[in-house]
Amino acid sequence: MGTRKKVHAFVRVKPTDDFAHEMIKYGGDNKTIDIHLKKDTRRGVVNNQQTDWSFKLDGVLHDASQDLVYETVAKDVVSQALNGYNGTIMCYGQTGAGKTYTMTGATENYKHRGILPRALQQVFKMIEECPTQAITVRVSYLEIYNESLFDLLSTLPYAEPSVTPMTIVESPQGVFIKGLSVHLTSQEEDAFSLLFEGETNRIIASHTMNKNSSRSHCIFTIYVEAHSRTLSDEKYITSKINLVDLAGSERLGKSGSEGRVLKEATYINKSLSFLEQAIIALGDQKRDHIPFRQCKLTHALKDSLGGNCNMVLVTNIYGEAAQLEETLSSLRFASRMKLVTTEPAINEKYDAEIINLRQIQEVFNQFRVVLSQQEQEVESALRRKYTLIDKDDFAAISAVQKAGLVDVDGHLVGEPDGQGFGLGVAPSSTRPGKKSKSKKMFKEQLSSLARKEGASSPVSGKDLDASTSKTQLTPSSKDGDVKDMLLQDRETSSIEPFASESPKEESHPPRPSTPPAKPVAFEDFKNERGSEINRIFKENKSILNERRKRASETTQRINAIKREIDMTKEALNFQKSLREKQGEYENKGLMIIDEEEFLLILKLKDLKKQYRTEYQDLQDLRAEIQYCQHLVDQCRHRLLTEFDIWYNESFFVPEDLQVALKPGDSIRPGMMPLSRIVSLGEDDQDRFSQLQQTMLPEGPDSVSFYNAKVKTEQKHNYSKTMMGLQQTHRK
């Protein structure tokens, strides 16, 4: 095990215009935060209420950018993970204090991405810088909602649904979640796609403290496994990085939660209370028992809390006076976390199949024994059935060549074929020292075959040396067998001329000597064989263009309404300021306004209603555009594929094979390789997509981030549109 070290705790203050400067002060070392509360005078003269607190942490992040937060908090943890050390980064704090923004960031803007996407980028960048290591990366995404475990990546099409509920299992190797899917990622864009897929499946809700409040604890885990490419070592290292986004604690009186949101808040507060109890127990050196199993959250994080792990806590707090009590509670939690010690160590493992070098040597020895036995069995079987002659025995080769021994391919025995033996069949009627009639007949047969194929001279035995002799030969037989074989060859050769005299096929139009240019051929194809596909493509394209035109018109209307709203607001503000200058009138507690201001209020309300309606229409049109774009892409691909098949068949397939391409024959269209694809003219949307990839303002590193985001959005928009169309069809 490694040396013990304390957990690092940082605090990040949410930016606000109403910062409590008199109550919250930072130390000069940027590691201390002091809280001051005024005494409650209602408690009387004797008042022992504590009014001042000072918290010493590892760093205070005030008005810090996402870049600075990652450099300070997470970079070292991720870097050590590739050296075999486990790491955990946890965000804790009050609801709405910025935990999810710190961990995940704003996915709409690359610069505002959080710790999690930056950690993925760092992992793959470090892999590129380690060519001597074969590193594999896998990820999982766990959600703990109302004390139940959910797999946020179970919606992927290739993810197998879990039959049994997920459970937390402890083993000698640590704690793991049984039933949680783990996905291999070979590149940065795939990892981002998995992250965005999981983010869309998270459960959120709205209350007075936070419009998009996370209602569950989420743990995104990166698993790293590294093998050496240069060393023949059975040892390898593994590590995992847990990135934990906790749901925020909330006071029900402030959040105004009710119904389902109230139930969620109860579970959240309960699990965070158990987490704090576990932290207090870990910080107490006299405690033997740590209550990890009180809730799913502490049980799942057992390895991270005080175990073999580099642990970092980011506490998110408000800087406003109204939230000072919750800020104090969060800072106390951070102070308790600093008392916890962990014992990180390199996770070295050994391949279970390889124990030591002696085992490898013994395995190869056994392979040699098995191979030698197989060679002996094959040789003995051949000797029982064939005549085997060593090719280094020149006297024996000379004798059998005089006898005219041949193998099944017509090769004279002893002709070199690159093997260790010369194999052949000896007719029973042949004797050494005599000319064999079968040999003469065989040479005549070879000569006739050569003439039939257009050869200028008879083929000798040496001319056949280049062909590879077969390893399986014809068994020994009588002299008549060889004669029958040669007679059969003659009958075959005599039949072939008659076959050529059969009636000829119907004549085809003459093929041009050079194939036409593809653009010209493509126009012919669209008018003939591909006319139906081209018609569907044009119809889908026209529908797509019509939807885009409507979307553009709707966008213009929305912009016009927005401008009118701004103008109405300015006029309304002018009327309000004029009323305030002239004096305000009240009647029974109600403000009296003039008719012009009243009409402006009604107009503003109507404009906002129009704006919402037009915006919803625009969202629906964008979904339809996404679906139509998918159909257009499918038609384009089909048209190009069919054209390439037709072009190859019409101008490159030999004419004698054209008959095989007719319907009902064995060769079907599309079985021949495609040479290259002719691209259709790209529309403006295609050009914009390519321009977006090459001209991204944030630089080339953001391409994978945006590609994954766009693909995830397209997938979910497409699924949403298909579901809507299916429901419409059912109605």
Side-chain angles (χ1 to χ4, degrees):
M1 296 295 290
T3 58
R4 299 196 69 85
K5 59 185 295 187
K6 289 188 176 182
V7 172
H8 291 285
F10 298 86
V11 60
R12 186 180 192 185
V13 186
K14 184 177 182 180
T16 177
D17 295 333
D18 192 20
F19 187 81
H21 294 282
E22 296 181 356
M23 300 180 178
I24 303 175
K25 297 185 181 298
Y26 307 124
D29 58 354
N30 207 30
K31 294 184 178 180
T32 306
I33 182 169
D34 298 325
I35 306 295
H36 171 73
L37 276 178
K38 294 181 180 179
K39 283 193 175 184
D40 189 356
T41 56
R42 293 174 298 180
R43 295 192 177 186
V45 179
V46 180
N47 189 350
N48 296 322
Q49 177 188 2
Q50 184 177 354
T51 59
D52 294 285
W53 292 264
S54 181
F55 299 93
K56 180 74 172 180
L57 303 170
D58 292 286
V60 177
L61 302 168
H62 179 58
D63 289 336
S65 65
Q66 295 283 65
D67 288 331
L68 179 59
V69 171
Y70 185 78
E71 292 287 330
T72 306
V73 171
K75 188 173 183 180
D76 289 341
V77 175
V78 176
S79 178
Q80 292 186 41
L82 268 73
N83 296 327
Y85 292 95
N86 294 335
T88 297
I89 303 171
M90 179 188 299
C91 288
Y92 175 90
Q94 183 186 1
T95 180
K99 298 179 300 301
T100 301
Y101 179 77
T102 299
M103 181 57 67
T104 307
T107 56
E108 293 81 10
N109 193 311
Y110 178 73
K111 291 181 180 178
H112 296 163
R113 67 197 189 282
I115 291 175
L116 209 163
R118 291 173 188 268
L120 289 172
Q121 282 185 308
Q122 182 181 347
V123 167
F124 283 99
K125 190 170 292 184
M126 292 181 67
I127 290 175
E128 293 178 358
E129 296 171 356
C130 299
T132 59
Q133 297 285 327
I135 302 175
T136 57
V137 179
R138 296 175 174 84
V139 300
S140 65
Y141 212 166
L142 173 69
E143 180 182 50
I144 304 176
Y145 173 72
N146 289 356
E147 279 301 290
S148 298
L149 304 177
F150 296 95
D151 186 358
L152 291 176
L153 300 180
S154 61
T155 56
L156 293 170
Y158 55 83
E160 297 181 359
S162 179
V163 180
T164 58
M166 291 193 295
T167 56
I168 302 174
V169 180
E170 294 189 36
S171 68
Q173 289 74 31
V175 176
F176 69 95
I177 311 300
K178 184 178 181 181
L180 180 65
S181 62
V182 180
H183 303 263
L184 178 67
T185 59
S186 57
Q187 55 186 356
E188 185 179 308
E189 185 176 326
D190 296 339
F192 282 141
S193 297
L194 294 172
L195 169 61
F196 296 145
E197 177 72 21
E199 286 296 310
T200 57
N201 296 327
R202 288 189 64 174
I203 297 175
I204 61 173
S206 177
H207 54 70
T208 57
M209 300 290 295
N210 188 1
K211 187 166 66 173
N212 295 310
S213 174
S214 301
R215 312 309 295 166
S216 60
H217 310 298
C218 291
I219 305 173
F220 188 94
T221 306
I222 306 172
Y223 306 88
V224 180
E225 183 175 311
H227 296 257
S228 175
R229 297 181 188 271
T230 57
L231 301 176
S232 300
D233 196 354
E234 68 275 10
K235 180 175 66 176
Y236 63 97
I237 59 174
T238 62
S239 63
K240 64 179 180 179
I241 309 170
N242 289 322
L243 301 163
V244 186
D245 181 15
L246 297 176
S249 60
E250 59 183 83
R251 297 206 175 191
L252 303 181
K254 287 187 176 182
S255 63
S257 301
E258 56 185 18
R260 179 179 64 86
V261 181
L262 175 62
K263 179 183 177 182
E264 294 168 348
T266 304
Y267 275 106
I268 291 169
N269 290 339
K270 183 180 178 180
S271 61
L272 292 176
S273 176
F274 287 142
L275 174 62
E276 189 165 3
Q277 291 178 20
I279 296 303
I280 293 173
L282 286 167
D284 187 356
Q285 302 297 329
K286 298 179 181 179
R287 290 282 294 269
D288 295 330
H289 173 69
I290 310 298
F292 285 119
R293 298 195 180 188
Q294 290 188 109
C295 67
K296 300 287 178 58
L297 175 63
T298 53
H299 198 185
L301 294 176
K302 181 179 179 180
D303 289 344
S304 302
L305 302 173
N308 173 21
C309 180
N310 287 315
M311 178 75 179
V312 176
L313 173 72
V314 181
T315 303
N316 296 88
I317 63 173
Y318 282 93
E320 301 168 358
Q323 311 296 336
L324 209 54
E325 292 184 10
E326 289 78 8
T327 296
L328 274 172
S329 176
S330 298
L331 290 173
R332 290 192 189 102
F333 181 87
S335 297
R336 295 185 182 115
M337 181 64 84
K338 274 190 65 65
L339 299 176
V340 178
T341 58
T342 61
E343 197 170 356
I346 297 178
N347 299 291
E348 293 182 343
K349 295 187 178 181
Y350 293 85
D351 196 334
E353 298 179 0
I354 301 175
I355 300 176
N356 50 39
L357 185 60
R358 182 178 297 176
Q359 183 190 32
I360 299 175
Q361 293 174 342
E362 184 61 29
V363 169
F364 277 106
N365 289 335
Q366 293 300 322
F367 277 138
R368 292 191 187 97
V369 172
V370 172
L371 182 61
S372 177
Q373 291 176 352
Q374 290 181 347
E375 289 178 346
Q376 292 176 3
E377 292 175 359
V378 171
E379 184 176 346
S380 61
L382 290 174
R383 287 188 182 279
R384 289 194 301 268
K385 201 171 185 181
Y386 303 106
T387 303
L388 275 69
I389 302 173
D390 191 344
K391 289 192 173 182
D392 294 331
D393 190 351
F394 298 105
I397 291 174
S398 177
V400 296
Q401 282 182 342
K402 291 179 179 179
L405 296 181
V406 296
D407 60 15
V408 293
D409 290 332
H411 293 252
L412 292 176
V413 174
E415 292 293 335
D417 61 354
Q419 305 297 328
F421 294 93
L423 289 81
V425 180
S428 58
S429 61
T430 59
R431 293 291 184 273
K434 296 182 180 179
K435 288 287 183 179
S436 173
K437 293 182 180 180
S438 61
K439 177 181 177 182
K440 183 178 180 181
M441 292 171 60
F442 183 75
K443 286 188 176 182
E444 290 176 355
Q445 181 68 11
L446 290 178
S447 300
S448 65
L449 288 173
R451 285 192 297 271
K452 185 176 70 174
E453 294 175 1
S456 58
S457 60
V459 180
S460 64
K462 292 183 179 180
D463 293 330
L464 296 175
D465 292 346
S467 61
T468 305
S469 62
K470 296 181 180 179
T471 56
Q472 183 178 355
L473 303 178
T474 306
S476 301
S477 59
K478 296 182 180 179
D479 192 12
D481 294 338
V482 179
K483 293 180 180 180
D484 293 339
M485 180 178 65
L486 297 177
L487 182 61
Q488 184 178 359
D489 290 339
R490 285 185 176 180
E491 290 174 355
T492 303
S493 62
S494 63
I495 292 173
E496 288 179 358
F498 293 99
S500 63
E501 296 175 2
S502 60
K504 294 183 179 180
E505 297 290 335
E506 296 180 1
S507 60
H508 296 278
R511 175 184 292 181
S513 57
T514 58
K518 279 202 169 184
V520 177
F522 187 62
E523 295 300 324
D524 296 338
F525 172 77
K526 289 193 293 185
N527 296 328
E528 298 174 1
R529 180 167 166 178
S531 59
E532 181 64 18
I533 304 175
N534 188 46
R535 182 186 64 80
I536 297 173
F537 173 75
K538 287 183 177 180
E539 289 179 358
N540 290 336
K541 188 80 173 186
S542 64
I543 295 173
L544 176 62
N545 292 333
E546 189 268 337
R547 294 294 190 276
R548 285 178 175 168
K549 182 179 178 182
R550 284 174 54 187
S552 177
E553 294 172 352
T554 304
T555 303
Q556 293 176 5
R557 288 197 300 271
I558 289 174
N559 292 334
I561 294 172
K562 182 64 171 61
R563 288 192 295 268
E564 195 169 355
I565 287 175
D566 294 338
M567 293 171 61
T568 306
K569 283 182 178 180
E570 291 179 2
L572 188 59
N573 291 332
F574 176 76
Q575 288 294 327
K576 287 181 180 179
S577 62
L578 188 63
R579 171 166 47 82
E580 291 173 355
K581 290 179 180 179
Q582 294 176 352
E584 297 179 344
Y585 299 93
E586 294 185 2
N587 184 15
K588 296 181 181 180
L590 299 177
M591 186 68 62
I592 298 175
I593 60 176
D594 60 8
E595 182 179 0
E596 185 176 357
E597 185 175 352
F598 178 71
L599 292 176
L600 286 173
I601 293 174
L602 292 180
K603 181 180 179 181
L604 182 62
K605 183 178 180 180
D606 185 59
L607 287 172
K608 288 182 177 180
K609 183 179 179 181
Q610 292 180 29
Y611 183 87
R612 287 192 293 268
T613 302
E614 293 289 347
Y615 186 78
Q616 183 60 45
D617 292 342
L618 181 61
Q619 292 294 100
D620 296 339
L621 282 172
R622 285 175 176 173
E624 292 180 15
I625 289 172
Q626 176 64 36
Y627 177 68
C628 293
Q629 183 67 55
H630 175 73
L631 295 179
V632 168
D633 292 340
Q634 280 188 332
C635 290
R636 178 188 287 117
H637 178 72
R638 178 73 182 276
L639 189 63
L640 293 174
T641 304
E642 293 289 339
F643 166 69
D644 200 70
I645 293 172
W646 172 81
Y647 190 78
N648 286 328
E649 291 177 357
S650 301
F651 304 107
F652 292 101
V653 178
E655 294 184 358
D656 55 351
L657 293 180
Q658 287 286 349
V659 66
L661 294 173
K662 288 186 176 182
D665 288 296
S666 58
I667 301 179
R668 307 302 308 148
M671 292 178 66
M672 285 166 292
L674 303 177
S675 57
R676 57 182 179 271
I677 299 294
V678 177
S679 61
L680 290 174
E682 298 173 333
D683 53 27
D684 294 337
Q685 183 65 29
D686 298 330
R687 294 194 193 96
F688 176 74
S689 298
Q690 293 184 2
L691 185 65
Q692 188 182 34
Q693 292 185 8
T694 57
M695 301 294 291
L696 286 173
E698 289 84 1
D701 291 342
S702 62
V703 173
S704 299
F705 181 87
Y706 280 121
N707 281 347
K709 177 175 171 54
V710 168
K711 289 178 182 178
T712 305
E713 289 180 349
Q714 289 177 348
K715 172 190 170 185
H716 286 277
N717 289 338
Y718 176 70
S719 302
K720 182 180 177 181
T721 305
M722 291 300 295
M723 290 178 62
L725 292 174
Q726 291 174 0
Q727 292 176 359
T728 305
H729 180 70
R730 288 170 188 164
K731 292 179 182 179

